[in-house]
Amino acid sequence: MIYKFRILKYFNKSEIFLVGLAILMLVSVSYGFYFLIWIAFSPLIYLAFIKNCRRILELSIIYGLITSLFFFNWVYNVKIKFYLELYMLAILIFTLYFTIFLILISFFSKKIKDYYVILLPPLIWLFLLLVYQIMPIKIYWMDLSIFQPAAVPIIWYVGSYGVTFLIILSNSILSYYFIKKNRILLFFEVFLLMIILASLFYSNYSGFPYNGKKVKVALLQGNFPYEWKWRQNNAFGLILNTYLNMSYEASKNKPDMIIWPEYSLNEDILDNKTVSALLKRTAQQLNTTLIVGSLSYTSDKVRYKDTAFVFKPDGYIDMYNSTEPFFLDKEVVKGNALKIIEHQSNLYGIMMCNEESMQSIARDYSNKGSQFIISLSNNQDLGRGHSIISQFTRLRAAENAKYVVRATNDGITQIINPLGKVVNSIEPEKEKILIGEIYVNSYKTFYTKHGNILVYLTIIISTALILKKRKYVNKI
């Protein structure tokens, strides 16, 4: 009780209110109130504008620790083999990110005495995001556009990082408005939000020109326990039989492709001639392309590659090995390169779980001629994390204007159109089959062709404007 009183005495009421409000809004975002992301950081940025670096260090650590404990509690509940390490790492990275972000704003904003200061927060955020993505752990969760993935046509030009820039800019404008009370700032804030609302309306209620061939897909969601050893013991027994029965059930709808999730059979298929022959025969009998998430062992039989096997109706077997497996999976070896696979004269690429979170994978596929994308995932017991992680798939679809179909072990299994809209999905944590139709297309967005060039240009221009104003202020 005394400790609580001392904390309340050390921080004034406005600081407690603003940090508490920021915590509440961002945690609410993780529970599905995604549009709050456009204002969720404004209390923090406001404090960074008016407080010194030492005070911001204290406030940002408190904010980071409390918010991440609640925001990422679904990670703790997963109970996978490294769940505790992942939970603690998420808290550490989140807290460190916000601490650096807010301290840099606090330090540099005092040197910029004009409205150009509103460009500082989004500029720092993007800089940190780009630094984080080249680190060995490759954390992409600070790409805030996952909470507004269907921002077409904006995202077709600026990609997910451009949308993230706009999100932080919105928060920055709002926070600076409460300092200056300038109507021009309010006008820009309302104008920006109206543009975003228009893009969301366009993404959800307009159509994409479907001139390409139609492909019918069947996505299987087996909903098996995550426990790795149990699944290995049952891979070629209960699990295989279940997925085969589901495949035959799905074949009644005459799909062109039947897709099993990542690690649906977590033993090496090609090491078992009986199983590989059975799957090959199944694809031929059903006259469909059968895609099976599995693994392929290296020579030591301990480490393995995260593999998707493609059994074609003509008897040919193709495969893709994940080039960017999850960094905590030390047993998993990287594949050599992305691979374009042909289906009835149309081209597609396969993403494996963690690769959904990366801009480069889907973009590279699209540039190489992929006309749709298949994503396999092994999500398990994620709770509300199901919805958060599945947003990455919507981002990749919207950025590149491609249909993306996502097959998972227990959700969210879904079909996403080129506007980033989920057009069909099935209930998580159930054994179910999703049947749907997609359209192939060879369209390449500005972002697909040129990547983050507009984002880099924005960074350069924003930096130049800030430095120019800083020099001008110093002269005075």
Side-chain angles (χ1 to χ4, degrees), residues 222-444:
N223 193 41
F224 287 101
Y226 185 88
E227 206 280 310
W228 189 260
K229 193 64 179 177
W230 179 89
R231 289 173 67 175
Q232 284 189 315
N233 292 335
N234 292 275
F236 295 153
L238 172 65
I239 297 176
L240 174 61
N241 291 333
T242 299
Y243 275 115
L244 284 174
N245 290 334
M246 293 175 73
S247 297
Y248 276 94
E249 180 65 27
S251 69
K252 296 176 182 178
N253 293 279
K254 300 188 183 304
D256 299 297
M257 311 178 83
I258 298 177
I259 304 169
W260 301 11
E262 179 193 33
Y263 294 132
S264 48
L265 301 177
N266 59 341
E267 282 287 3
D268 196 331
I269 291 173
L270 297 186
D271 270 359
N272 190 311
K273 293 183 178 179
T274 302
V275 171
S276 59
L278 175 60
L279 292 172
K280 180 179 178 180
R281 189 166 61 250
T282 300
Q284 292 174 316
Q285 289 176 346
L286 300 181
N287 191 32
T288 188
T289 295
L290 181 63
I291 299 178
V292 179
S294 184
L295 57 81
S296 49
Y297 284 110
T298 58
S299 56
D300 60 13
K301 296 298 181 182
V302 175
R303 296 181 302 164
Y304 54 87
K305 296 179 180 179
D306 185 359
T307 305
F309 291 96
V310 181
F311 297 89
K312 298 186 177 182
D314 60 5
Y316 182 76
I317 302 175
D318 212 334
M319 68 172 65
Y320 167 68
N321 296 311
S322 172
T323 59
E324 293 289 349
F326 190 53
F327 68 95
L328 285 179
D329 276 329
K330 301 302 181 183
E331 301 90 353
V332 184
V333 178
K334 287 186 177 183
N336 294 325
L338 298 180
K339 186 172 187 178
I340 295 292
I341 302 174
E342 185 174 348
H343 173 76
Q344 297 177 358
S345 75
N346 295 304
L347 304 177
Y348 66 93
I350 298 176
M351 298 189 298
M352 307 295 280
C353 195
N354 187 58
E355 294 176 338
E356 294 178 330
S357 65
M358 301 178 182
Q359 280 189 325
S360 60
I361 303 294
R363 178 174 171 253
D364 286 350
Y365 274 137
S366 297
N367 272 321
K368 291 178 178 180
S370 179
Q371 296 166 299
F372 64 99
I373 297 172
I374 294 171
S375 178
L376 309 185
S377 185
N378 187 38
N379 296 152
Q380 179 73 33
D381 294 335
L382 294 180
R384 73 181 190 282
H386 281 305
S387 298
I388 296 174
I389 290 178
S390 68
Q391 296 288 92
F392 280 115
T393 321
R394 298 181 62 192
L395 265 185
R396 305 293 81 95
E399 280 179 326
N400 300 285
K402 292 288 181 290
Y403 262 99
V404 178
V405 298
R406 185 175 193 255
T408 71
N409 175 55
D410 77 332
I412 295 174
T413 298
Q414 56 190 3
I415 297 173
I416 303 149
N417 73 8
L419 301 176
K421 179 182 178 181
V422 177
V423 294
N424 211 344
S425 64
I426 50 179
E427 184 181 358
E429 301 178 6
K430 301 285 184 181
E431 180 185 308
K432 286 193 171 184
I433 301 170
L434 175 60
I435 305 290
E437 293 179 335
I438 65 173
Y439 294 84
V440 304
N441 77 75
S442 299
Y443 177 72
K444 293 181 181 179

Side-chain angles (χ1 to χ4, degrees), residues 172-186:
S172 180
I173 294 173
L174 184 61
S175 62
Y176 202 61
Y177 168 76
F178 284 103
I179 296 174
K180 292 293 185 179
K181 299 294 194 302
N182 187 293
R183 290 184 179 180
I184 296 177
L185 289 171
L186 185 60

Side-chain angles (χ1 to χ4, degrees), residues 128-222:
L128 292 176
L129 182 60
L130 293 171
V131 170
Y132 264 56
Q133 81 164 30
I134 62 176
M135 294 172 66
I137 56 175
K138 292 188 177 180
I139 294 296
Y140 294 82
W141 292 350
M142 297 305 179
D143 186 351
L144 301 176
S145 57
I146 64 170
F147 301 113
Q148 293 291 295
V152 173
I154 296 173
I155 200 169
W156 285 351
Y157 294 92
V158 300
S160 63
Y161 288 3
V163 175
T164 294
F165 183 92
L166 294 177
I167 289 172
I168 298 299
L169 180 61
S170 170
N171 282 272
S172 180
I173 294 173
L174 184 61
S175 62
Y176 202 61
Y177 168 76
F178 284 103
I179 296 174
K180 292 293 185 179
K181 299 294 194 302
N182 187 293
R183 290 184 179 180
I184 296 177
L185 289 171
L186 185 60
F187 169 79
F188 275 117
E189 178 71 6
V190 173
F191 179 71
L192 177 58
L193 293 180
M194 286 179 64
I195 291 176
I196 297 304
L197 284 171
S199 69
L200 295 178
F201 182 87
Y202 179 85
S203 298
N204 284 281
Y205 297 103
S206 66
F208 189 84
Y210 301 123
N211 300 318
K213 182 181 177 182
K214 185 187 299 183
V215 177
K216 181 178 283 190
V217 296
L219 311 178
L220 309 189
Q221 183 174 287

